[in-house]
Amino acid sequence: MKRQPNILILMLDQLSGTLFPDGPADFLHVPHLRALAERSLRFANCYTPSPLCVPARVSFMTGLLPSKTGVYDNAAEFPASLPSFAHYLRRAGYLTVLSGKMHFVGPDQLHGFERRLTTDIYPADFGWTPDYRKPGERIDWWYHNMSSVTGAGVAETSNQLEFDDEVAFHAEAEIYRLARGGEGRPWCLTVSFTHPHDPYVARPEFWDLYQDCPALEPETAGIPFAKQDPHSQRLLLANDYENFEIRPEDVRRARRAYFANVSYVDEKIGRILSALSRCGLADDTVVVLCADHGDMLGERGLWFKMSFFEGSARIPLMLAAPGFEPTRVETPVSLLDVAPTLADLACPGGAESMLPVDGSSLMGLAAGEGRNAPVLMEYAAEGSYAPLVAIREGRWKFTHCPLDPPQLFDLEADPLERRNLAEDPHHGPQVVAFMQQVEARWDMAAFDAAVRESQARRWVVYEALRQGRHRPWDYEPQTDAAERFMRNHLDLNVVETKARFPRDE
């Protein structure tokens, strides 16, 4: 592998790591993801820093937990002064390009990317700000509800399908541009899809693949509301579950559409990887595949994300690079680890050239070394009334919220998290030990105060900016049509020669 390899990052939205125990699960029709897994380091126990899009993505880009970035929810501003992996790579001489979703909130819509090929699918303003001052309030116009489940099914196109079609088209075109010479620099192309995120609507050709799928029923049956843990009860209320009847057929259709959309994205990824290979770039390119968070998919009667249970919090992470030995890595890791890993692969001084971050480079694990650091997670957004934190260490997962009883799961003995061992007196010493870790790592009162202050500020700013002339922050892709294809100020022979790849020598 050359000193500064090209980097292709493939990011999916809401793809659960429980479907990737060692590459894709057998029932998934994903030939391209399966082929990628066969040549990758496969991190079987990777976790999101926060089970929600914006805080997870900002943590992915910076290597910092939400309590450090101040990005707690889907309407929190990503400060332009926070260095991202795109900044570090660009400072090291890379061309940095983004195609697709990253859900940057605020006026900075690049965050170190030199070029951005598409707009985003979600708004860039403060309109989706939750409000801890009003616990239990449902903000109907943007909160999730169960219509994604009851309305699951087939369609030729949708809002999200149109977006991802565009993301893939521009990404493939960018690879051809880079193959023709680009700008003579190593490059990092991030391609970020919105699928298989709900709504659970799929195209017929992918829906049909799962006619006889053996995984249409959740492994853990729905738990009655009264027996759910307090945070899960709050999520159910936030998702308006009381106003929807979720039938068994709805569950099967929603899961079928979700699996179908994984296959849809697989087809897009296949085209991108094929272009990379056909252009002769594969041998010099590191490929990273990840997701921002998972989806509960009806397990325990829960849907979407916002939870520390495995379906929501665990994500796939695969790293394919020339010289890396394909293997499964059991050690728990975090999406926070991607940024320092990219720095190790590409920047002079490696990860040590970065400012302090919460993640750690994966290069040691790639070389067969051990790691003892726990994986940390945080959540402080809709459906919560106060911040929650979690620690995955060894076989254990511990969850703490000041409002709730603690949760402790032994993921080796109980991978479906059916027994909360914090209720068992025999595990009292472990609960005490984890609480000592929580108290050493977090000031929960200060965390809660910071979230409330951020929410209150943003509500004032959002309401003010909606009055009078509105100047949106949403990214507008720039296309200079006068310099594309054939124009009379350009030499036709030069245009045709430059655009052809490979060129006729």
Side-chain angles (χ1 to χ4, degrees), residues 274-314:
S274 176
L276 194 74
S277 180
R278 287 182 282 110
C279 289
L281 296 170
D283 289 343
D284 290 327
T285 301
V286 174
V287 179
V288 179
L289 182 131
C290 61
D292 51 359
H293 51 76
D295 190 319
M296 289 302 294
L297 288 176
E299 298 289 347
R300 311 174 68 90
L302 301 176
W303 291 89
F304 321 126
K305 55 269 188 172
M306 303 174 280
S307 166
F308 292 136
F309 287 121
E310 291 286 279
S312 166
R314 201 166 110 210

Side-chain angles (χ1 to χ4, degrees), residues 22-23 33-44 287 317-330 365-368:
D22 187 20
L33 289 175
R34 205 172 304 284
L36 178 63
E38 289 172 357
R39 61 186 181 92
S40 295
L41 279 168
R42 304 176 300 279
F43 296 90
V287 179
L317 176 61
M318 299 193 293
L319 179 61
F324 280 21
E325 186 68 28
T327 188
R328 170 181 165 133
V329 178
E330 298 281 356
L365 289 173

Side-chain angles (χ1 to χ4, degrees), residues 140-252:
D140 288 333
W141 68 272
W142 66 267
Y143 265 35
H144 268 88
N145 64 50
M146 294 298 181
S147 65
S148 286
V149 180
T150 58
V154 183
E156 283 295 334
T157 193
S158 68
N159 186 46
Q160 293 194 183
L161 288 166
E162 288 184 4
F163 182 80
D164 275 351
D165 286 349
E166 184 176 327
V167 169
F169 171 82
H170 283 288
E172 190 175 354
E174 181 67 11
I175 287 174
Y176 292 132
R177 194 189 78 84
L178 294 168
R180 289 192 293 252
E183 301 184 23
R185 293 180 277 168
W187 50 263
C188 175
L189 172 60
T190 300
V191 185
S192 185
F193 297 99
T194 191
H195 283 93
H197 191 293
D198 63 286
Y200 306 114
V201 176
R203 286 194 171 129
E205 62 265 36
F206 302 106
W207 172 270
D208 291 346
L209 294 173
Y210 294 91
Q211 174 69 42
D212 300 312
C213 177
L216 298 183
E217 302 284 350
E219 291 186 88
T220 302
I223 298 172
F225 182 86
K227 294 186 177 180
Q228 295 275 9
D229 64 277
H231 180 62
S232 295
Q233 289 179 341
R234 292 191 290 266
L235 291 181
L236 286 166
L237 293 171
N239 292 332
D240 203 21
Y241 92 104
E242 294 174 302
N243 290 317
F244 292 84
E245 179 188 357
I246 307 297
R247 303 168 301 164
E249 178 59 20
D250 296 326
V251 174
R252 289 191 291 270

